[in-house]
Amino acid sequence: MCLDIAPDAAANPDESPFTNELVFSIAGSSENAEEQELVAVKYHHVVRRADNGLIFHDQIGHWIYEASTNIIIHSLTIPRGVCLLAGGSFQEKDGESIFTVDAKAGSDTYGIVQSPFMIEKAKTKAFQMRMVVKANELNYREVTSLHIYGKDFEHIDTSSLKRVTYHQD
Ligand code: HEM
């Protein structure tokens, strides 16, 4: 089950059940400043309304990992004029791979870049995400802290996905 809780000008937030498709592929490795050794996957995330199949969220990004420091970096961009870079760490526990990241507007490192319109009307102030992968299951919860319609709003997405295909190039 996937649920999106999104802002609405009316008093009650919009609650939208959705279907979720996440496609990951290898993005190779990079060495930064002859020191930092990163590996990455890229993904495309497409969200459709459960009732009519129409796309209402599209997201692309990378998950990046450095083994020696345990750093996780998650970059994402959505076609509202918002990009962010969230940072955090990786943990393995009881067969689960746990990825925890966050970003804050105003940070020079793990921060958020957004269009002038979005800053003024629907600013993303912060982003937090916890993703857990175990065998063929991926679960995540993300909280996007917005300032919209004159007030703060926690835009929350939770999802539980099952792996359906796997190709190794
Ligand atoms: C599975 C993930 C997500 C889904 C399904 C989703 C869906 C939605 C929906 C339904 C709205 C209400 C307005 C509309 O219908 O377009 C909305 C608003 C918004 N979302 Fe998301 N969202 C997701 C993730 C994110 C993320 C990661 C960000 C930013 C980093 C974000 C930023 C925003 C902003 C700024 C708005 C306010 C725009 C407005 O309502 O005018 N969303 N989102």
Side-chain angles (χ1 to χ4, degrees):
M1 168 63 176
C2 309
L3 185 69
D4 170 70
I5 302 176
D8 194 302
N12 294 326
D14 272 347
E15 290 198 7
S16 315
F18 59 85
T19 61
N20 220 349
E21 185 183 304
L22 263 168
V23 178
F24 289 94
S25 52
I26 293 167
S29 59
S30 9
E31 192 182 89
N32 284 336
E34 296 183 3
E35 194 178 317
Q36 191 179 39
E37 286 186 31
L38 304 175
V39 291
V41 291
K42 63 187 170 196
Y43 69 87
H44 186 193
H45 184 178
V46 179
V47 179
R48 292 184 169 81
R49 287 195 191 280
D51 52 357
N52 59 16
L54 292 176
I55 294 176
F56 74 121
H57 181 81
D58 185 275
Q59 184 176 316
I60 53 171
H62 287 97
W63 283 95
I64 306 160
Y65 174 56
E66 189 182 40
S68 64
T69 54
N70 211 35
I71 287 171
I72 291 286
I73 301 172
H74 179 198
S75 64
L76 70 86
T77 180
I78 58 168
R80 292 180 185 276
V82 179
C83 303
L84 69 81
L85 192 70
S89 60
F90 173 71
Q91 197 193 352
E92 267 184 313
K93 202 177 155 198
D94 302 329
E96 294 185 335
S97 298
I98 305 166
F99 304 76
T100 314
V101 292
D102 63 63
K104 278 196 179 55
S107 169
D108 282 341
T109 55
Y110 297 124
I112 300 159
V113 184
Q114 42 207 319
S115 70
F117 180 91
M118 294 304 275
I119 290 274
E120 192 192 333
K121 301 283 189 176
K123 182 177 178 179
T124 301
K125 295 169 63 179
F127 173 83
Q128 289 176 298
M129 182 169 183
R130 184 173 191 272
M131 180 171 77
V132 179
V133 181
K134 185 172 186 181
N136 285 329
E137 262 192 48
L138 184 156
N139 289 281
Y140 71 80
R141 181 176 193 272
E142 63 187 28
V143 181
T144 309
S145 305
L146 302 177
H147 189 80
I148 183 166
Y149 306 125
K151 56 181 191 290
D152 289 339
F153 181 88
E154 303 271 272
H155 175 20
I156 298 176
D157 287 280
T158 48
S159 239
S160 191
L161 296 102
K162 282 210 187 324
R163 177 151 59 193
V164 287
T165 57
Y166 177 67
H167 299 282
Q168 192 162 26
D169 295 328

